[in-house]
Amino acid sequence: MRSPAIAIAWQVWSRHRLGLQASLAGLAVMILAYPLILPRLDHQVGLVAGAILPAILFSYVGNLLIFSDEVGSLTSGYPRHMFTLPIPSRMLAFWPMSLAVATMTAIWCIVSLLAFRRCGFDAPVILPAIGGGLLIAWFQVVSWLPVAGVVTPYLAVGGAWLFVGAPFLLRANDTLSDATVSALGLAAFPLLYLAGCFAVRHARRGDRWELGVDRMAGELIRLRERHLSRSRGFGSPREAQLWFDESCQSGFVLGLLTIQNLIVTLFALFSDRGNAFAPQVALAVILSAPMILSASLAGTISRWSPIWVKRRDGIAFLAVRPMPSEVLISTKYRIARRLMWKSWAIAAVFAAALILGRRDAGLDASLAAAFQRALPGWKGCVAVVLGVPLVLVVQWKLITDNLVPAFTGRRWIADGMVFVSTALILGAVAVAVWCAKRPEIIPAVLAVTAWGASVLAAIRVAVAAVALRIALGRGFLSRRGAARMTVAWALAAAATVCLAVVFLPGGMPFVPRPVLVAAPLCVLPIARFGLAPLALDWNRHR
């Protein structure tokens, strides 16, 4: 290679040639197809539907251009093999950052000018391009800093708020003009480059800034051990693995939930006493936080190494341990169950503190009145008795959704599931907006949804049956464990059917009553029970 820039660009292209070619194809599809399709749709529907491909494209390309030791991981650090190259550290920081900023900026300019604006959408060009460049540059700096991995997510979120969130709010409130925000954003690029040089230089020297995190984590673990009066010995490998996973992963999620609820509660407690809206919003945020956090941070429990370790792969160590795959999987399931009830305990504590601290807002009375209006009489009792356990089951499902793709050890499978989920969510939002604009199509959409959910539930049951049969035949799963999973799913299915019979309407056009009742079964977890041991064995013996 004639220059470091070409060498670094070729390294990214050669390792991810197929993905980048698919990204270029998606960009071409947006340029050619969007002007033909989106103008025929409603304005808001077209905007949401058109955002699906750009969201996937930016997520994929952004993960590649972070330029970390492990692709897309903010905790893995700068690629260590690059430190041996005979070029100064400032070049090791300059070219990856320049490549990332230029690529993200160019992609947005192409999408906005050649796709969205040709469809009649007044898509801004300058501010989003600068914001995307600042965001990818900050993520690179965070990834390259030689700090403990547990600090990295907080730095990433704080920087995202500083470089994107705060300017957006200031611009939305007309506090700053577009020119001022753009000038501030452009002035931040040299500072980020200097921070990148600083990070690469210290990482190249082998520095590691503890920042007291490891000591703090050790003290918290010892404090917990003293509080629980637990000896150092473990009765079984399952117990040891459970203690390890709980110490390494769930504490981070619960700590983040506690900090978020604390900030929201303090905001509501110190808000204007005449404003009853702030406490209501805060209570809604606190009560919805366990479900939202379970969906957004579920990938944390799929890690095999502690959250503060730079690299996420630990399967090489676990593969040689004298422990069957069923034990490793069951510990993850138990961690998900403990994370579930602990998150609701934290939410209950903060909700009670908010209700007691803002007695003037009458949160308890309004909440009880809203519940009685929505579910009067015996229906409220049925909703509590059957609905609360099902909410916990759905939350457990959200926490464990990423386990099977992560167990395979194939990054393209795990990332592919994330992209598919993103596309489905954005597609559902587009359909919802479309239905809001055209209420006459709601019955047809509901009919298609009910039939699709019922078919999906049947497919998942069939896949689970086949996977369980294979796992039992190969000895990856005990008959007792399979029976417990089957009974648990049957009980959850019975509760779901009862709620569907009570609360769903008596009939819908083109949808028989049995199909309508069976549709909610698609939200229950079942296929992962058989697929998880097969995926983990595939990973351990590759």
Side-chain angles (χ1 to χ4, degrees), residues 210-229:
E210 301 290 345
L211 301 178
V213 174
D214 291 345
R215 182 181 302 175
M216 185 185 303
E219 290 296 333
L220 290 176
I221 292 174
R222 284 191 290 270
L223 179 63
R224 192 192 70 169
E225 291 300 303
R226 287 196 300 268
H227 177 68
L228 296 178
S229 299

Side-chain angles (χ1 to χ4, degrees), residues 23 51-62 418-420 422-424 426:
S23 301
I52 296 177
L53 275 181
I56 297 175
L57 182 62
F58 280 109
S59 300
Y60 177 75
V61 177
V418 174
F419 294 143
V420 170
T422 303
L424 291 177
L426 292 176

Side-chain angles (χ1 to χ4, degrees), residues 134-170:
L134 288 174
L135 197 62
I136 190 66
W138 174 249
F139 284 165
Q140 286 181 325
V141 172
V142 170
S143 175
W144 299 344
L145 284 172
V147 297
V150 70
V151 182
T152 302
Y154 298 101
L155 292 176
V157 173
W161 169 255
L162 176 64
F163 292 112
V164 177
F168 174 78
L169 291 179
L170 292 175

Side-chain angles (χ1 to χ4, degrees), residues 185-205:
L186 293 176
F189 281 112
L191 300 178
L192 289 175
Y193 168 64
L194 294 177
C197 294
F198 181 76
V200 173
R201 184 180 301 112
H202 284 273
R204 197 175 195 181
R205 292 192 302 195

